[in-house]
Amino acid sequence: MKVLNMGSCNIDYIYEVDHMVKPGETQSVSSLQVVSGGKGLNQSIALAKAGVNVYHAGLIGADGGILKEALTSHGANCEYLKEVDEKSGHAIIQIDRRGENCILVYPGANHCFTEAKVDEILSDFNEGDLLLLQNEINLMDYIVKSAHERGLKIALNPAPFNDKVKAIDLSLIDYLVVNEIEGCDLANEEDESKVIDTLKSMYPQTHILLTLGSKGCLYTQGEMVIKQEAYKVEAVDTTAAGDTFIGYFIAGLVEGYEIKECLELAARASSITVTRKGSSSSIPTIEEVRQL
């Protein structure tokens, strides 16, 4: 099985703040980091650090050298990472003293995919290969439809959740990974306790993962329901925790692990990520995860 991640690459500007900035407020920050990020890039690095040979398909601008370097230095295959005549995507990230974050994203080059480019990339992948997607690039509905027609397994993290997600035929998704907010939006539920059952009824064939932060994760498919507890750690930065969880969960699938083992592996990895500052730089290696 080959793993293709068609996803975003962003230059992250990370500001440490006392609290999230309020409307009309000006606040001095205690530090600034400029690092590589984006859900797509983070998840490819998580896969690579977990030992998976992952192909990252993405678009960057002339300013995106830091992004390509981050991917290649951690072992991701950048054969499908191309430069376009547009600035690279970037994100403005606030991290408060509790380790919680607030993120603004400018898509930039990430929204320059064309149908011809998508077809060219997918032509190198075949039935049984796995495609990982997030919602930070354009043409999502076309990508999902085209990948399904080629017989690829599709894992989707529909974040950030917006109207583009509603245009996707989610019945074609094999693995759907959402957090509480995305799950409530997708299920049209206000009560978090009802989300997993509602999504299960909407997409009965799909493997559904509802991540719950410090409360762990719920998984369901068919009659199977698994609750994965989170490891208790002191969080300093939750920026790439979800991306780490997804990357390591898929790594477990690639290795042929049972679902419960995949969830355990992902929980261990993400528990390490939140104890470190940064985005892709905070993701642990498989050796560190095994030592936990």
Side-chain angles (χ1 to χ4, degrees):
M1 174 196 296
K2 291 199 295 185
V3 177
L4 169 66
N5 182 3
M6 197 175 297
S8 58
C9 298
N10 290 329
I11 301 172
D12 286 351
Y13 298 84
I14 303 175
Y15 301 87
E16 290 191 11
V17 297
D18 179 70
H19 58 270
M20 302 305 177
V21 177
K22 302 173 184 176
E25 178 185 18
T26 299
Q27 182 183 164
S28 294
V29 302
S30 56
S31 73
L32 165 65
Q33 289 180 286
V34 181
V35 298
S36 56
K39 292 183 181 300
L41 179 143
N42 288 343
Q43 290 174 24
S44 281
I45 289 179
L47 281 159
K49 285 188 171 184
V52 175
N53 181 24
V54 57
Y55 296 82
H56 187 91
L59 300 174
I60 58 175
D63 57 343
I66 183 178
L67 303 173
K68 185 173 184 179
E69 170 61 24
L71 285 162
T72 55
S73 65
H74 292 296
N77 186 309
C78 290
E79 178 181 349
Y80 304 101
L81 182 69
K82 305 298 181 182
E83 185 177 316
V84 295
D85 188 20
E86 173 63 84
K87 288 185 178 297
S88 297
H90 70 256
I92 305 298
I93 303 173
Q94 299 178 57
I95 299 175
D96 69 16
R97 58 189 173 188
R98 297 172 301 172
E100 296 295 332
N101 63 52
C102 178
I103 305 174
L104 290 172
V105 178
Y106 170 71
N110 295 312
H111 278 198
C112 292
F113 278 94
T114 64
E115 292 185 2
K117 175 57 69 177
V118 170
D119 293 342
E120 179 185 345
I121 295 168
L122 291 179
S123 67
D124 288 341
F125 295 84
N126 300 298
E127 183 173 355
D129 291 337
L130 189 144
L131 171 65
L132 173 60
L133 296 168
Q134 312 79 32
N135 193 33
E136 290 186 337
I137 62 174
N138 63 320
L139 295 181
M140 287 291 294
D141 54 337
Y142 181 81
I143 296 169
V144 168
K145 181 175 180 293
S146 300
H148 178 75
E149 289 174 350
R150 295 191 64 85
L152 275 69
K153 297 290 186 182
I154 305 172
L156 172 64
N157 172 214
F161 188 90
N162 54 35
D163 287 342
K164 286 197 305 178
V165 176
K166 299 175 183 178
I168 302 170
D169 184 353
L170 295 179
S171 68
L172 305 181
I173 303 302
D174 298 280
Y175 297 91
L176 179 66
V177 188
V178 293
N179 62 21
E180 305 108 306
I181 296 173
E182 296 149 6
C184 286
D185 287 339
L186 186 57
N188 197 26
E189 292 279 5
E190 295 183 2
D191 186 347
E192 291 180 6
S193 66
K194 297 180 180 179
V195 168
I196 196 77
D197 288 333
T198 301
L199 292 178
K200 182 177 179 179
S201 66
M202 294 169 66
Y203 310 109
Q205 304 305 315
T206 302
H207 299 259
I208 298 169
L209 288 83
L210 177 64
T211 59
L212 303 168
S214 61
K215 294 179 287 185
C217 174
L218 279 174
Y219 163 90
T220 186
Q221 201 275 329
E223 297 302 314
M224 184 183 297
V225 178
I226 299 174
K227 174 66 185 297
Q228 173 62 51
E229 298 291 342
Y231 280 72
K232 303 302 181 184
V233 296
E234 184 175 346
V236 298
D237 183 357
T238 61
T239 301
D243 297 329
T244 302
F245 189 95
I246 293 168
Y248 268 84
F249 176 80
I250 291 175
L253 294 178
V254 172
E255 292 296 325
Y257 294 173
E258 296 293 331
I259 291 294
K260 188 170 181 60
E261 295 175 296
C262 294
L263 293 169
E264 170 68 18
L265 180 70
R268 276 187 281 161
S270 58
S271 74
I272 296 174
T273 296
V274 300
T275 64
R276 302 169 173 176
K277 295 181 180 180
S279 50
S280 61
S281 59
S282 68
I283 299 171
T285 63
I286 186 62
E287 289 78 14
E288 292 173 306
V289 175
R290 286 171 176 161
Q291 290 170 6
L292 180 63

